[in-house]
Amino acid sequence: MTGWSPQELSRIGDAEELEITPLHADGSHRRPTPIWVVRIGDDLYVRAHRGRRGVWFSATQEQHQGHISSGGVNRDVAFVDESDAARNDEIDAAYRSKYGRYGPRYVEPMVAAAARAATLKLVPQ
């Protein structure tokens, strides 16, 4: 299967969190980390609120591959840097909409410059 199925997109996009498991350099799996995930159309995105220095984000940069689990969906994925400013504006809006109930203390770091610079598109493998 290539691409996300409509069911996978709905289940992951509606889930509160996603567990991300980047690969070590030797191909073994790291420890899963729960993070927020947003959906824009047929794409799924994650961000590191601590920016590119965040532990789990740094780990994604070794192999650019790993595994995700969310909403009952388990998939191997590629981690693709998202640097398009217009797309990042949409992602900001999606974070504010989905997670705004947690208040600015939690949401604002997810739409700050550091997090925008650590935005990854999840591409199913």
Side-chain angles (χ1 to χ4, degrees):
M1 172 189 279
T2 60
W4 298 108
S5 72
Q7 295 82 11
E8 288 173 321
L9 285 167
S10 292
R11 291 173 79 182
I12 296 169
D14 292 344
E16 189 68 15
E17 291 182 326
L18 172 144
E19 284 194 347
I20 192 166
T21 309
L23 295 179
H24 284 286
D26 67 4
S28 64
H29 287 97
R30 294 178 175 271
R31 173 183 278 162
T33 302
I35 60 172
W36 286 352
V37 59
V38 296
R39 176 183 175 183
I40 307 290
D42 290 341
D43 297 318
L44 298 167
Y45 296 92
V46 296
R47 283 183 170 166
H49 78 279
R50 292 191 173 124
R52 298 184 73 83
R53 291 185 180 162
V55 174
W56 74 258
F57 182 87
S58 295
T60 67
Q61 302 303 288
E62 287 182 28
Q63 296 287 331
H64 299 278
Q65 295 182 345
H67 188 82
I68 60 100
S69 177
S70 182
V73 176
N74 292 287
R75 288 291 297 264
D76 290 330
V77 296
F79 304 118
V80 178
D81 286 324
E82 180 59 64
S83 60
D84 180 79
R87 183 56 108 177
N88 266 294
D89 290 344
E90 291 180 81
I91 296 166
D92 287 351
Y95 271 100
R96 285 187 173 110
S97 175
K98 183 175 181 179
Y99 297 107
R101 69 186 174 283
Y102 292 109
R105 178 178 178 199
Y106 296 100
V107 176
E108 289 308 308
M110 296 304 294
V111 297
R116 283 175 64 109
T119 301
L120 296 173
K121 180 178 176 179
L122 304 175
V123 179
Q125 300 296 287

